[in-house]
């Protein structure tokens, strides 16, 4: 009797596991195939793209990447996007980490109201504040500059960064900070020597989200930038499509070039999500 029950349970578990793997496989296929389709399409000739739109390229045409890079002027646009993204992260990471730590660990008058004030930036659409931001940028004399992009992107990322890192700092055990203070560290020293190294998973998460947002941002950059030499990659892609007849293999090659840096950053930052740095510190 018990043997039949065990066999029934094992069969049910196998069916459940099989269904789980099936769902995971379908989800993986739905997620990965558009990327593969973009890469396959970028390696086809113009004629093959329409006759073999879903399949593998018969003869890879690597020249599409050369054409996309040269005709799209991606070199300077790649540099502009990199400067805007790195500059944004250079401002956002120190400011959000310090502010989030203060909101998580310190109690001061108006801290809750100030924290919710920062959260308001997550609720206001960028289109609503476009005209005020444009007016401020003009008054500061920063229109059509890379600095305007960096400052606007940083302002847009502050609210989410503080919200994310505050939750992460709250989850860290207070005993770690107290142990550092007993060893002679000042509160600032404990933050930089103990808390901040343990916050690498949270910082990596913010790098991925804020970096992707700055790298892919189009709306505000289309308002703040006028010169072709200052265009970022999203602006360059729209300009490439608008000024020329669309050759989809070259367009897909451009999409692949723009997407590659974000994929690399995500793969490198993914390690921080699964690292047990806090648990390791507690065990040590």
């Amino acid at each position: 009797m018990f043997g039949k029950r065990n066999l029934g349970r094992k069969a049910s578990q196998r069916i459940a596991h099989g269904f789980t793997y099936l769902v995971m496989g379908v989800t993986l296929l739905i997620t990965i195939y558009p990327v593969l389709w973009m890469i396959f399409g970028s390696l086809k000739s113009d004629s093959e793209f329409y006759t073999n739109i879903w399949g593998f390229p018969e003869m890879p045409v690597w020249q599409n990447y050369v054409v996309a890079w040269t005709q799209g002027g991606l070199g300077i646009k790649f540099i502009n996007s990199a400067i805007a993204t790195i500059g944004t992260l250079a401002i956002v990471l120190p400011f959000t980490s310090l502010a989030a730590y203060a909101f998580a660990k310190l109690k001061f008058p108006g801290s809750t109201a100030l924290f919710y004030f920062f959260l308001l930036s997550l609720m206001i659409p960028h289109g609503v504040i476009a005209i005020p931001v444009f007016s401020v940028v003009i008054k500061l004399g920063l229109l059509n500059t890379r600095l305007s992009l960096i400052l606007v992107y940083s302002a847009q990322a502050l609210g989410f960064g503080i919200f994310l890192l505050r939750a992460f700092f709250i989850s860290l055990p207070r005993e770690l900070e107290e142990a550092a203070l007993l060893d002679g560290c000042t509160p600032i020293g404990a933050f930089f020597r103990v808390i901040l190294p343990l916050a690498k998973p949270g910082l990596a998460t913010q790098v991925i989200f804020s970096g992707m947002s700055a790298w892919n941002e189009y709306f505000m950059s289309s308002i703040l930038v006028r010169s072709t030499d200052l265009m970022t990659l999203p602006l360059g892609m729209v300009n490439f499509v608008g000024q020329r007849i669309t050759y989809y293999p070259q367009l897909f090659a451009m999409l692949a070039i723009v997407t590659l840096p974000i994929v690399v950053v995500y793969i490198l930052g993914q390690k921080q999500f699964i690292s047990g740095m806090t648990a390791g510190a507690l065990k040590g």
Side-chain angles (χ1 to χ4, degrees):
M1 187 70 179
F2 290 103
K4 293 182 179 180
R5 290 182 180 178
N6 291 333
L7 290 175
R9 290 177 181 177
K10 290 181 179 180
S12 300
Q13 291 177 355
R14 289 177 181 176
I15 294 174
H17 290 165
F19 180 75
T20 301
Y21 288 132
L22 177 62
V23 172
M24 293 175 60
V26 173
T27 304
L28 179 64
L29 180 63
I30 294 174
T31 304
I32 296 298
Y33 186 75
V35 179
L36 296 178
W37 182 58
M38 176 183 68
I39 296 175
F40 295 158
S42 68
L43 295 174
K44 297 176 182 178
S45 63
D46 294 333
S47 58
E48 184 186 359
F49 184 86
Y50 293 100
T51 58
N52 181 26
I53 190 170
W54 301 110
F56 292 89
E58 296 178 359
M59 185 67 66
V61 182
W62 298 101
Q63 186 66 20
N64 290 333
Y65 285 86
V66 178
V67 173
W69 184 272
T70 55
Q71 292 188 5
L74 295 186
I76 186 62
K77 296 176 177 63
F78 197 99
I79 294 175
N80 292 334
S81 291
I83 292 175
T85 302
I86 295 174
T88 299
L89 294 177
I91 293 176
V92 167
L93 290 178
F95 276 90
T96 54
S97 59
L98 290 171
Y101 181 75
F103 286 125
K105 301 295 184 179
L106 304 179
K107 299 298 180 181
F108 53 91
S111 60
T112 302
L114 185 59
F115 174 69
Y116 284 116
F117 175 78
F118 279 105
L119 290 186
L120 286 176
S121 63
L122 302 177
M123 308 174 189
I124 302 176
H126 294 166
V128 175
I129 61 175
I131 295 178
V133 169
F134 182 73
S135 301
V136 171
V137 169
I138 291 178
K139 291 181 180 179
L140 293 176
L142 298 177
L143 185 63
N144 199 36
T145 62
R146 295 187 182 96
L147 182 58
S148 65
L149 297 178
I150 293 174
L151 294 178
V152 171
Y153 292 171
S154 301
Q156 292 176 346
L158 284 177
F160 175 77
I162 292 174
F163 171 76
L164 175 69
L165 291 180
R166 175 182 176 272
F168 190 86
F169 286 139
I170 290 177
S171 67
L172 292 178
R174 183 174 291 273
E175 289 79 4
L176 295 173
E177 184 180 2
E178 293 175 350
L181 295 176
L182 290 175
D183 288 339
C185 281
T186 62
I188 298 297
F191 172 74
F192 284 104
R193 296 180 182 179
V194 178
I195 302 300
L196 201 58
L198 294 175
K200 286 183 179 180
L203 294 174
T205 303
Q206 185 174 1
V207 167
I208 292 173
F209 280 99
S210 299
M212 287 180 59
S213 177
W215 186 267
N216 297 325
E217 206 282 330
Y218 169 77
F219 178 70
M220 293 304 300
S221 59
S222 66
I223 297 175
L224 300 176
V225 170
R226 295 289 184 269
S227 175
T228 305
D229 295 334
L230 297 177
M231 284 185 176
T232 58
L233 286 172
L235 286 177
M237 292 179 59
V238 175
N239 189 52
F240 179 81
V241 175
Q243 292 184 356
R244 298 173 176 85
I245 298 175
T246 300
Y247 294 97
Y248 287 101
Q250 288 84 354
L251 179 60
F252 278 29
M254 182 181 291
L255 289 171
I257 294 173
V258 174
T259 306
L260 180 61
I262 293 297
V263 174
V264 172
V265 171
Y266 179 79
I267 292 175
L268 294 177
Q270 189 181 21
K271 297 179 181 179
Q272 298 298 333
F273 290 104
I274 60 176
S275 62
M277 301 185 68
T278 304
L282 287 173
K283 292 178 181 179

